[in-house]
PDB file of all heavy atoms in Angstrom:
ATOM      1  N   ARG A 488       2.069 -18.494-306.597  1.00  0.00           N
ATOM      2  CA  ARG A 488       0.921 -18.388-305.715  1.00  0.00           C
ATOM      3  C   ARG A 488       0.959 -19.493-304.667  1.00  0.00           C
ATOM      4  O   ARG A 488       0.713 -19.245-303.486  1.00  0.00           O
ATOM      5  CB  ARG A 488      -0.356 -18.477-306.545  1.00  0.00           C
ATOM      6  CG  ARG A 488      -1.585 -18.167-305.763  1.00  0.00           C
ATOM      7  CD  ARG A 488      -2.833 -18.179-306.604  1.00  0.00           C
ATOM      8  NE  ARG A 488      -2.567 -17.906-308.009  1.00  0.00           N
ATOM      9  CZ  ARG A 488      -3.298 -18.379-308.997  1.00  0.00           C
ATOM     10  NH1 ARG A 488      -4.330 -19.154-308.753  1.00  0.00           N
ATOM     11  NH2 ARG A 488      -3.009 -18.094-310.243  1.00  0.00           N
ATOM     12  N   GLU A 489       1.276 -20.698-305.075  1.00  0.00           N
ATOM     13  CA  GLU A 489       1.370 -21.813-304.135  1.00  0.00           C
ATOM     14  C   GLU A 489       2.476 -21.565-303.111  1.00  0.00           C
ATOM     15  O   GLU A 489       2.299 -21.805-301.916  1.00  0.00           O
ATOM     16  CB  GLU A 489       1.626 -23.118-304.882  1.00  0.00           C
ATOM     17  CG  GLU A 489       1.861 -24.326-303.992  1.00  0.00           C
ATOM     18  CD  GLU A 489       0.634 -24.763-303.207  1.00  0.00           C
ATOM     19  OE1 GLU A 489      -0.475 -24.331-303.545  1.00  0.00           O
ATOM     20  OE2 GLU A 489       0.796 -25.537-302.254  1.00  0.00           O
ATOM     21  N   ASP A 490       3.626 -21.098-303.571  1.00  0.00           N
ATOM     22  CA  ASP A 490       4.739 -20.803-302.643  1.00  0.00           C
ATOM     23  C   ASP A 490       4.322 -19.784-301.603  1.00  0.00           C
ATOM     24  O   ASP A 490       4.620 -19.934-300.419  1.00  0.00           O
ATOM     25  CB  ASP A 490       5.956 -20.288-303.416  1.00  0.00           C
ATOM     26  CG  ASP A 490       6.596 -21.347-304.295  1.00  0.00           C
ATOM     27  OD1 ASP A 490       6.300 -22.552-304.109  1.00  0.00           O
ATOM     28  OD2 ASP A 490       7.386 -20.971-305.182  1.00  0.00           O
ATOM     29  N   GLU A 491       3.631 -18.723-302.034  1.00  0.00           N
ATOM     30  CA  GLU A 491       3.199 -17.689-301.097  1.00  0.00           C
ATOM     31  C   GLU A 491       2.141 -18.202-300.141  1.00  0.00           C
ATOM     32  O   GLU A 491       2.106 -17.841-298.969  1.00  0.00           O
ATOM     33  CB  GLU A 491       2.680 -16.460-301.848  1.00  0.00           C
ATOM     34  CG  GLU A 491       3.763 -15.693-302.540  1.00  0.00           C
ATOM     35  CD  GLU A 491       4.848 -15.208-301.586  1.00  0.00           C
ATOM     36  OE1 GLU A 491       4.528 -14.747-300.468  1.00  0.00           O
ATOM     37  OE2 GLU A 491       6.025 -15.291-301.958  1.00  0.00           O
ATOM     38  N   TYR A 492       1.238 -19.063-300.631  1.00  0.00           N
ATOM     39  CA  TYR A 492       0.221 -19.641-299.751  1.00  0.00           C
ATOM     40  C   TYR A 492       0.887 -20.454-298.631  1.00  0.00           C
ATOM     41  O   TYR A 492       0.486 -20.378-297.469  1.00  0.00           O
ATOM     42  CB  TYR A 492      -0.761 -20.520-300.521  1.00  0.00           C
ATOM     43  CG  TYR A 492      -1.712 -21.244-299.604  1.00  0.00           C
ATOM     44  CD1 TYR A 492      -2.764 -20.561-299.003  1.00  0.00           C
ATOM     45  CD2 TYR A 492      -1.521 -22.587-299.295  1.00  0.00           C
ATOM     46  CE1 TYR A 492      -3.603 -21.206-298.133  1.00  0.00           C
ATOM     47  CE2 TYR A 492      -2.374 -23.235-298.412  1.00  0.00           C
ATOM     48  CZ  TYR A 492      -3.416 -22.539-297.843  1.00  0.00           C
ATOM     49  OH  TYR A 492      -4.249 -23.173-296.973  1.00  0.00           O
ATOM     50  N   LEU A 493       1.912 -21.197-298.981  1.00  0.00           N
ATOM     51  CA  LEU A 493       2.610 -21.980-297.951  1.00  0.00           C
ATOM     52  C   LEU A 493       3.247 -21.087-296.896  1.00  0.00           C
ATOM     53  O   LEU A 493       3.250 -21.425-295.716  1.00  0.00           O
ATOM     54  CB  LEU A 493       3.649 -22.896-298.612  1.00  0.00           C
ATOM     55  CG  LEU A 493       3.070 -24.009-299.471  1.00  0.00           C
ATOM     56  CD1 LEU A 493       4.196 -24.749-300.191  1.00  0.00           C
ATOM     57  CD2 LEU A 493       2.227 -24.959-298.652  1.00  0.00           C
ATOM     58  N   VAL A 494       3.752 -19.943-297.320  1.00  0.00           N
ATOM     59  CA  VAL A 494       4.330 -18.993-296.355  1.00  0.00           C
ATOM     60  C   VAL A 494       3.233 -18.428-295.458  1.00  0.00           C
ATOM     61  O   VAL A 494       3.379 -18.386-294.226  1.00  0.00           O
ATOM     62  CB  VAL A 494       5.064 -17.838-297.095  1.00  0.00           C
ATOM     63  CG1 VAL A 494       5.430 -16.723-296.131  1.00  0.00           C
ATOM     64  CG2 VAL A 494       6.296 -18.366-297.816  1.00  0.00           C
ATOM     65  N   MET A 495       2.116 -18.010-296.060  1.00  0.00           N
ATOM     66  CA  MET A 495       1.033 -17.379-295.293  1.00  0.00           C
ATOM     67  C   MET A 495       0.304 -18.340-294.375  1.00  0.00           C
ATOM     68  O   MET A 495      -0.254 -17.950-293.377  1.00  0.00           O
ATOM     69  CB  MET A 495       0.004 -16.763-296.241  1.00  0.00           C
ATOM     70  CG  MET A 495       0.518 -15.592-297.026  1.00  0.00           C
ATOM     71  SD  MET A 495      -0.773 -14.819-298.029  1.00  0.00           S
ATOM     72  CE  MET A 495      -1.360 -16.164-299.032  1.00  0.00           C
ATOM     73  N   SER A 496       0.303 -19.629-294.711  1.00  0.00           N
ATOM     74  CA  SER A 496      -0.495 -20.602-293.961  1.00  0.00           C
ATOM     75  C   SER A 496       0.353 -21.553-293.121  1.00  0.00           C
ATOM     76  O   SER A 496      -0.120 -22.622-292.759  1.00  0.00           O
ATOM     77  CB  SER A 496      -1.343 -21.420-294.931  1.00  0.00           C
ATOM     78  OG  SER A 496      -0.503 -22.215-295.754  1.00  0.00           O
ATOM     79  N   ASP A 497       1.577 -21.171-292.821  1.00  0.00           N
ATOM     80  CA  ASP A 497       2.472 -22.014-292.033  1.00  0.00           C
ATOM     81  C   ASP A 497       2.587 -23.402-292.652  1.00  0.00           C
ATOM     82  O   ASP A 497       2.329 -24.425-292.015  1.00  0.00           O
ATOM     83  CB  ASP A 497       1.990 -22.103-290.581  1.00  0.00           C
ATOM     84  CG  ASP A 497       3.014 -22.757-289.672  1.00  0.00           C
ATOM     85  OD1 ASP A 497       4.219 -22.770-290.019  1.00  0.00           O
ATOM     86  OD2 ASP A 497       2.630 -23.274-288.600  1.00  0.00           O
ATOM     87  N   GLY A 498       2.985 -23.420-293.913  1.00  0.00           N
ATOM     88  CA  GLY A 498       3.199 -24.674-294.619  1.00  0.00           C
ATOM     89  C   GLY A 498       1.917 -25.418-294.945  1.00  0.00           C
ATOM     90  O   GLY A 498       1.922 -26.619-295.161  1.00  0.00           O
ATOM     91  N   GLY A 499       0.782 -24.704-294.985  1.00  0.00           N
ATOM     92  CA  GLY A 499      -0.496 -25.330-295.286  1.00  0.00           C
ATOM     93  C   GLY A 499      -1.214 -25.846-294.058  1.00  0.00           C
ATOM     94  O   GLY A 499      -2.280 -26.452-294.173  1.00  0.00           O
ATOM     95  N   LYS A 500      -0.672 -25.615-292.877  1.00  0.00           N
ATOM     96  CA  LYS A 500      -1.284 -26.108-291.626  1.00  0.00           C
ATOM     97  C   LYS A 500      -2.497 -25.292-291.205  1.00  0.00           C
ATOM     98  O   LYS A 500      -3.410 -25.821-290.584  1.00  0.00           O
ATOM     99  CB  LYS A 500      -0.253 -26.113-290.500  1.00  0.00           C
ATOM    100  CG  LYS A 500       0.904 -27.043-290.738  1.00  0.00           C
ATOM    101  CD  LYS A 500       1.944 -26.888-289.647  1.00  0.00           C
ATOM    102  CE  LYS A 500       3.193 -27.672-290.006  1.00  0.00           C
ATOM    103  NZ  LYS A 500       4.315 -27.320-289.125  1.00  0.00           N
TER     104      LYS A 500
END
Side-chain angles (χ1 to χ4, degrees):
R488 190 177 334 151
E489 175 68 15
D490 292 344
E491 289 302 319
Y492 173 75
L493 292 174
V494 169
M495 293 185 303
S496 66
D497 190 22
K500 296 174 189 168

